Amino acid sequence: METLEELKNKYKKLQEEKNNLYNKITALENQDKLSKFTVGECYLDTRQDNLIKIVSIQGNYVYYICLDNFSICRENSCLLYIQGWKKITSKQFKNAYLAVMKDIQDPDLGDRIGSNWNTVYNSIVTSVNS
């Protein structure tokens, strides 16, 4: 029968082995996710209802231009938390970018039903879902 001290040492070694395996798995998962993204690619973020164009990838972070119905901004996300991104074409992103710019510059936008963004965004969602 093993002594208490031997069991504690055995447990400690198993914990270390578990941590090492976890770190290796995490590194491989990050490598796999990183290989799916390239600078210049564009995406529809189905969870946030916005459009994304990747401008930089550094370490575990993706930096991108983010478009939504009323703004254009630069944001970043950790690779581990990216979910629901569907690839779109650069032309679709460009059309959405121009639509947002047009909407931002239109002082009477609130007076009309719909916007340039809505038209372009809906066509992108339709093309991605088909």
Side-chain angles (χ1 to χ4, degrees):
M1 183 151 155
E2 296 176 284
T3 66
L4 178 60
E5 194 62 36
E6 289 172 338
L7 288 174
K8 284 184 179 181
N9 287 335
K10 188 175 184 179
Y11 179 78
K12 185 177 177 182
K13 286 180 185 177
L14 288 172
Q15 283 293 98
E16 288 174 4
E17 187 177 339
K18 177 190 141 224
N19 290 339
N20 288 338
L21 286 173
Y22 176 80
N23 290 338
K24 287 178 183 178
I25 289 169
T26 303
L28 288 173
E29 286 175 341
N30 287 345
Q31 217 173 18
D32 184 49
K33 276 197 171 191
L34 187 59
S35 69
K36 294 178 182 177
F37 298 106
T38 305
V39 172
E41 288 182 339
C42 302
Y43 296 89
L44 164 66
D45 182 348
T46 59
R47 290 180 164 221
Q48 300 294 324
D49 291 331
N50 54 34
L51 301 178
I52 291 164
K53 182 169 188 167
I54 296 176
V55 294
S56 176
I57 300 172
Q58 297 177 0
N60 290 334
Y61 285 87
V62 175
Y63 298 86
Y64 50 89
I65 296 170
C66 182
L67 303 178
D68 60 26
N69 61 335
F70 60 89
S71 68
I72 300 168
C73 60
R74 184 172 173 152
E75 295 188 15
N76 67 71
S77 292
C78 180
L79 286 170
L80 299 174
Y81 304 114
I82 295 175
Q83 295 178 342
W85 287 17
K86 308 278 183 177
K87 195 177 267 194
I88 62 171
T89 67
S90 292
K91 184 174 182 177
Q92 288 173 313
F93 185 87
K94 177 184 171 189
N95 290 342
Y97 181 89
L98 294 174
V100 171
M101 288 300 293
K102 197 181 249 187
D103 287 348
I104 289 171
Q105 295 170 358
D106 185 356
D108 300 323
L109 180 63
D111 299 339
R112 286 186 274 133
I113 298 172
S115 66
N116 297 304
W117 163 263
N118 289 341
T119 304
V120 173
Y121 182 78
N122 290 336
S123 73
I124 291 170
V125 169
T126 301
S127 74
V128 166
N129 291 332
S130 61

